[in-house]
mmCIF file of all heavy atoms in Angstrom:
data_model
loop_
_atom_site.group_PDB
_atom_site.id
_atom_site.type_symbol
_atom_site.label_atom_id
_atom_site.label_comp_id
_atom_site.label_asym_id
_atom_site.label_seq_id
_atom_site.Cartn_x
_atom_site.Cartn_y
_atom_site.Cartn_z
ATOM 1 N N ALA A 254 -10.426 -5.778 19.086
ATOM 2 C CA ALA A 254 -11.612 -6.659 18.982
ATOM 3 C C ALA A 254 -12.454 -6.283 17.775
ATOM 4 O O ALA A 254 -12.960 -7.119 17.050
ATOM 5 C CB ALA A 254 -12.457 -6.538 20.259
ATOM 6 N N ARG A 255 -12.613 -4.977 17.516
ATOM 7 C CA ARG A 255 -13.485 -4.603 16.331
ATOM 8 C C ARG A 255 -12.887 -5.110 15.045
ATOM 9 O O ARG A 255 -13.580 -5.556 14.154
ATOM 10 C CB ARG A 255 -13.738 -3.113 16.348
ATOM 11 C CG ARG A 255 -12.536 -2.242 15.975
ATOM 12 C CD ARG A 255 -12.840 -0.731 16.114
ATOM 13 N NE ARG A 255 -11.675 0.079 15.925
ATOM 14 C CZ ARG A 255 -11.642 1.377 16.253
ATOM 15 N NH1 ARG A 255 -12.707 1.991 16.769
ATOM 16 N NH2 ARG A 255 -10.570 2.086 15.996
ATOM 17 N N ALA A 256 -11.522 -5.006 14.889
ATOM 18 C CA ALA A 256 -10.907 -5.518 13.695
ATOM 19 C C ALA A 256 -10.949 -7.003 13.611
ATOM 20 O O ALA A 256 -11.238 -7.596 12.562
ATOM 21 C CB ALA A 256 -9.390 -5.035 13.697
ATOM 22 N N GLN A 257 -10.784 -7.649 14.731
ATOM 23 C CA GLN A 257 -10.891 -9.143 14.758
ATOM 24 C C GLN A 257 -12.236 -9.661 14.375
ATOM 25 O O GLN A 257 -12.368 -10.610 13.678
ATOM 26 C CB GLN A 257 -10.482 -9.619 16.168
ATOM 27 C CG GLN A 257 -10.583 -11.111 16.397
ATOM 28 C CD GLN A 257 -10.158 -11.481 17.799
ATOM 29 O OE1 GLN A 257 -8.998 -11.274 18.185
ATOM 30 N NE2 GLN A 257 -11.054 -12.071 18.526
ATOM 31 N N GLU A 258 -13.289 -9.028 14.961
ATOM 32 C CA GLU A 258 -14.636 -9.498 14.689
ATOM 33 C C GLU A 258 -15.084 -9.232 13.223
ATOM 34 O O GLU A 258 -15.733 -10.053 12.640
ATOM 35 C CB GLU A 258 -15.624 -8.853 15.639
ATOM 36 C CG GLU A 258 -15.312 -9.078 17.152
ATOM 37 C CD GLU A 258 -15.087 -10.550 17.452
ATOM 38 O OE1 GLU A 258 -16.030 -11.373 17.284
ATOM 39 O OE2 GLU A 258 -13.978 -10.910 17.854
ATOM 40 N N VAL A 259 -14.642 -8.080 12.674
ATOM 41 C CA VAL A 259 -14.925 -7.839 11.279
ATOM 42 C C VAL A 259 -14.178 -8.884 10.386
ATOM 43 O O VAL A 259 -14.751 -9.345 9.421
ATOM 44 C CB VAL A 259 -14.548 -6.366 10.908
ATOM 45 C CG1 VAL A 259 -14.417 -6.214 9.405
ATOM 46 C CG2 VAL A 259 -15.631 -5.408 11.375
ATOM 47 N N GLN A 260 -12.934 -9.132 10.720
ATOM 48 C CA GLN A 260 -12.207 -10.121 9.921
ATOM 49 C C GLN A 260 -12.879 -11.446 9.976
ATOM 50 O O GLN A 260 -12.900 -12.151 8.940
ATOM 51 C CB GLN A 260 -10.751 -10.224 10.511
ATOM 52 C CG GLN A 260 -9.832 -10.992 9.600
ATOM 53 C CD GLN A 260 -9.357 -10.136 8.449
ATOM 54 O OE1 GLN A 260 -8.470 -9.267 8.626
ATOM 55 N NE2 GLN A 260 -9.888 -10.331 7.271
ATOM 56 N N LYS A 261 -13.440 -11.863 11.081
ATOM 57 C CA LYS A 261 -14.196 -13.112 11.151
ATOM 58 C C LYS A 261 -15.360 -13.113 10.142
ATOM 59 O O LYS A 261 -15.569 -14.139 9.427
ATOM 60 C CB LYS A 261 -14.821 -13.306 12.571
ATOM 61 C CG LYS A 261 -13.858 -13.763 13.626
ATOM 62 C CD LYS A 261 -14.772 -13.991 14.916
ATOM 63 C CE LYS A 261 -13.934 -14.114 16.175
ATOM 64 N NZ LYS A 261 -14.775 -14.269 17.367
ATOM 65 N N LEU A 262 -16.103 -12.020 10.152
ATOM 66 C CA LEU A 262 -17.265 -11.933 9.280
ATOM 67 C C LEU A 262 -16.841 -11.989 7.801
ATOM 68 O O LEU A 262 -17.361 -12.741 6.992
ATOM 69 C CB LEU A 262 -18.019 -10.648 9.559
ATOM 70 C CG LEU A 262 -18.752 -10.571 10.875
ATOM 71 C CD1 LEU A 262 -19.310 -9.136 11.114
ATOM 72 C CD2 LEU A 262 -19.905 -11.601 10.939
ATOM 73 N N LEU A 263 -15.871 -11.196 7.450
ATOM 74 C CA LEU A 263 -15.343 -11.155 6.024
ATOM 75 C C LEU A 263 -14.863 -12.561 5.617
ATOM 76 O O LEU A 263 -15.224 -13.052 4.493
ATOM 77 C CB LEU A 263 -14.307 -10.103 5.872
ATOM 78 C CG LEU A 263 -14.748 -8.667 6.059
ATOM 79 C CD1 LEU A 263 -13.533 -7.726 5.989
ATOM 80 C CD2 LEU A 263 -15.770 -8.263 4.993
ATOM 81 N N ASN A 264 -14.046 -13.178 6.430
ATOM 82 C CA ASN A 264 -13.501 -14.453 6.055
ATOM 83 C C ASN A 264 -14.602 -15.489 5.804
ATOM 84 O O ASN A 264 -14.500 -16.316 4.922
ATOM 85 C CB ASN A 264 -12.470 -14.927 7.108
ATOM 86 C CG ASN A 264 -11.174 -14.131 7.045
ATOM 87 O OD1 ASN A 264 -10.885 -13.447 6.087
ATOM 88 N ND2 ASN A 264 -10.399 -14.195 8.127
ATOM 89 N N TYR A 265 -15.575 -15.488 6.693
ATOM 90 C CA TYR A 265 -16.663 -16.425 6.588
ATOM 91 C C TYR A 265 -17.413 -16.181 5.303
ATOM 92 O O TYR A 265 -17.716 -17.178 4.522
ATOM 93 C CB TYR A 265 -17.637 -16.333 7.771
ATOM 94 C CG TYR A 265 -18.790 -17.202 7.736
ATOM 95 C CD1 TYR A 265 -18.730 -18.572 8.144
ATOM 96 C CD2 TYR A 265 -20.045 -16.736 7.276
ATOM 97 C CE1 TYR A 265 -19.828 -19.381 8.097
ATOM 98 C CE2 TYR A 265 -21.123 -17.603 7.198
ATOM 99 C CZ TYR A 265 -21.035 -18.861 7.630
ATOM 100 O OH TYR A 265 -22.111 -19.726 7.568
ATOM 101 N N GLY A 266 -17.779 -14.961 5.002
ATOM 102 C CA GLY A 266 -18.492 -14.649 3.788
ATOM 103 C C GLY A 266 -17.794 -15.051 2.517
ATOM 104 O O GLY A 266 -18.374 -15.657 1.611
ATOM 105 N N PHE A 267 -16.516 -14.698 2.427
ATOM 106 C CA PHE A 267 -15.750 -14.965 1.281
ATOM 107 C C PHE A 267 -15.505 -16.486 1.126
ATOM 108 O O PHE A 267 -15.408 -17.003 0.000
ATOM 109 C CB PHE A 267 -14.439 -14.259 1.259
ATOM 110 C CG PHE A 267 -14.553 -12.788 0.936
ATOM 111 C CD1 PHE A 267 -14.138 -11.816 1.831
ATOM 112 C CD2 PHE A 267 -15.032 -12.368 -0.264
ATOM 113 C CE1 PHE A 267 -14.201 -10.456 1.560
ATOM 114 C CE2 PHE A 267 -15.174 -10.983 -0.608
ATOM 115 C CZ PHE A 267 -14.694 -10.039 0.373
ATOM 116 N N ARG A 268 -15.353 -17.172 2.179
ATOM 117 C CA ARG A 268 -15.058 -18.596 2.154
ATOM 118 C C ARG A 268 -16.278 -19.414 1.693
ATOM 119 O O ARG A 268 -16.117 -20.384 0.949
ATOM 120 C CB ARG A 268 -14.595 -19.077 3.498
ATOM 121 C CG ARG A 268 -14.400 -20.601 3.682
ATOM 122 C CD ARG A 268 -13.267 -21.100 2.822
ATOM 123 N NE ARG A 268 -13.107 -22.563 2.933
ATOM 124 C CZ ARG A 268 -13.843 -23.462 2.217
ATOM 125 N NH1 ARG A 268 -14.784 -23.037 1.330
ATOM 126 N NH2 ARG A 268 -13.620 -24.764 2.378
ATOM 127 N N TYR A 269 -17.447 -19.087 2.107
ATOM 128 C CA TYR A 269 -18.636 -19.927 1.928
ATOM 129 C C TYR A 269 -19.672 -19.400 0.985
ATOM 130 O O TYR A 269 -20.658 -20.097 0.688
ATOM 131 C CB TYR A 269 -19.207 -20.283 3.274
ATOM 132 C CG TYR A 269 -18.266 -21.079 4.177
ATOM 133 C CD1 TYR A 269 -17.686 -20.554 5.242
ATOM 134 C CD2 TYR A 269 -17.973 -22.376 3.826
ATOM 135 C CE1 TYR A 269 -16.802 -21.283 6.076
ATOM 136 C CE2 TYR A 269 -17.103 -23.159 4.605
ATOM 137 C CZ TYR A 269 -16.492 -22.607 5.717
ATOM 138 O OH TYR A 269 -15.637 -23.296 6.473
#
Side-chain angles (χ1 to χ4, degrees):
R255 70 186 174 193
Q257 176 179 298
E258 301 311 297
V259 161
Q260 192 78 77
K261 282 184 193 177
L262 292 170
L263 292 174
N264 288 343
Y265 179 82
F267 285 121
R268 173 66 181 84
Y269 295 108

